[in-house]
Amino acid sequence: MKIQTFFFILCSVFYFTKTFGQTTVTHLSATAEYLNPDQAALDSMPLNILRMEERAFTLQITLGNTQNVNKIVVALGSSDGSNDLFYKEFAYGVDGNFQDGTFYHSNGNNVSVGIGNYAGAITYYAEVYAIKENGTRTEGKRYSIQ
């Protein structure tokens, strides 16, 4: 009986770790490059003018557990947790440059996503999570971009 109980506990821990223990999105970072190539001009701009300069946003995502991932969702907002500026569901593993000006490129578990150009704020808030084949949403990552 003790061996059966031990074996059951061991299998349960293994199942839980394989199913729930690995986070799908393990890392998120972002860059926002100013489209104005004159760094000296950017450095001398007051903050209220600088925020009106357009920046191109690219997110770097690392995926851990990709089992049953159907989509990668990317959102950009003007406040934490919002998606008022950008929201798109990218088909997992489908690389390409898309007509809406976005791109999705993957290399193993590393994904780079371009989401376009934005201006008007000093701080932007990005969020990335996955949607599984059964429609459930995984835990995601958030990142503030200044």
Side-chain angles (χ1 to χ4, degrees):
M1 184 69 176
K2 289 181 183 181
I3 292 175
Q4 289 174 331
T5 304
F6 175 75
F7 184 70
F8 174 77
I9 292 171
L10 182 63
C11 288
S12 297
V13 169
F14 177 75
Y15 174 78
F16 180 81
T17 302
K18 282 300 272 181
T19 306
F20 303 105
Q22 295 180 345
T23 305
T24 300
V25 179
T26 58
H27 174 78
L28 171 63
S29 63
T31 57
E33 296 183 22
Y34 285 100
L35 300 180
N36 181 349
D38 186 356
Q39 188 62 46
L42 293 172
D43 290 343
S44 66
M45 285 183 187
L47 208 49
N48 62 334
I49 302 293
L50 184 60
R51 74 181 202 181
M52 301 313 291
E53 288 288 318
E54 244 186 353
R55 295 188 276 173
F57 287 78
T58 303
L59 280 61
Q60 293 78 37
I61 305 159
T62 303
L63 303 173
N65 180 5
T66 59
Q67 184 176 10
N68 299 320
V69 171
N70 189 32
K71 298 175 184 175
I72 301 295
V73 178
V74 178
L76 183 72
S78 57
S79 61
D80 193 18
S82 73
N83 63 0
D84 59 323
L85 301 174
F86 180 85
Y87 176 92
K88 184 171 180 178
E89 297 177 0
F90 292 89
Y92 172 68
V94 180
D95 287 14
N97 297 320
F98 306 106
Q99 290 182 347
D100 62 359
T102 63
F103 67 81
Y104 177 106
H105 298 291
S106 59
N107 182 7
N109 285 8
N110 297 311
V111 177
S112 181
V113 176
I115 60 172
N117 303 335
Y118 297 91
I122 296 300
T123 305
Y124 296 84
Y125 300 89
E127 181 177 14
V128 174
Y129 57 90
I131 297 176
K132 298 284 192 166
E133 290 174 355
N134 65 5
T136 60
R137 171 185 164 163
T138 67
E139 185 178 329
K141 294 285 183 188
R142 291 183 176 174
Y143 190 85
S144 63
I145 308 160
Q146 295 192 355

